[in-house]
């Protein structure tokens, strides 16, 4: 088996296990991830705005 496929399989199993065993904690992790992405996008937008000025 390819190493990438094994790692992907392990990641999927981990995510499913986390969602099944503790859905509230899994939802918190997803929310934290989206907040991080949103924060990064805002930072890039602010940087580009200041760059253009």
């Amino acid at each position: 088996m390819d190493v990438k496929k094994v790692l992907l399989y392990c990641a999927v199993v981990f995510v499913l296990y986390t969602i099944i065993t503790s859905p509230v904690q899994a939802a918190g992790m997803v929310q934290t991830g989206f907040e991080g992405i949103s924060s990064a996008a805002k930072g890039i937008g602010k940087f580009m705005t200041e760059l253009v000025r």
Side-chain angles (χ1 to χ4, degrees):
M1 266 183 120
D2 190 20
V3 175
K4 287 183 181 180
K5 287 183 182 180
V6 171
L7 291 176
L8 179 62
Y9 177 74
C10 289
V12 169
V13 168
F14 174 73
V15 168
L16 290 175
Y17 174 77
T18 302
I19 290 171
I20 292 169
T21 59
S22 56
V24 174
Q25 187 179 12
M29 286 190 275
V30 170
Q31 183 179 8
T32 301
F34 280 129
E35 287 174 357
I37 291 170
S38 174
S39 176
K42 287 178 186 175
I44 291 171
K46 188 179 249 185
F47 170 75
M48 291 302 217
T49 300
E50 293 299 322
L51 190 64
V52 170
R53 287 184 186 181

